[in-house]
Amino acid sequence: MESGPAIFAGAAFTLFGGALLLWTTVRTLHREPVAYGIAPRAAFALSGLCGIVFLLLGVWCFGRL
């Protein structure tokens, strides 16, 4: 009964984290701003950290099955 929400949460966190990391990488490689109004290095570091955290959270949810 509890595996359904864990699968949904794991999939949502993993997809969001992966998409955020991919988007950040593409924007950085094209030398476009990741976030307006923030220093480029700080924006890259913060969004990269958030992407990694979401990926780890998704893996943790899948591990709880």
Side-chain angles (χ1 to χ4, degrees):
M1 206 60 177
E2 294 179 4
S3 65
I7 291 171
F8 177 77
F13 286 136
T14 304
L15 286 174
F16 181 73
L20 183 61
L21 284 175
L22 179 66
W23 182 80
T24 302
T25 303
V26 168
R27 296 287 290 187
T28 303
L29 290 176
H30 289 190
R31 298 189 188 272
E32 296 176 359
V34 176
Y36 293 108
I38 301 175
R41 289 184 183 175
F44 175 75
L46 183 61
S47 59
L49 178 68
C50 288
I52 291 171
V53 166
F54 276 108
L55 274 176
L56 290 175
L57 193 57
V59 169
W60 179 77
C61 285
F62 284 132
R64 302 286 296 170
L65 295 176

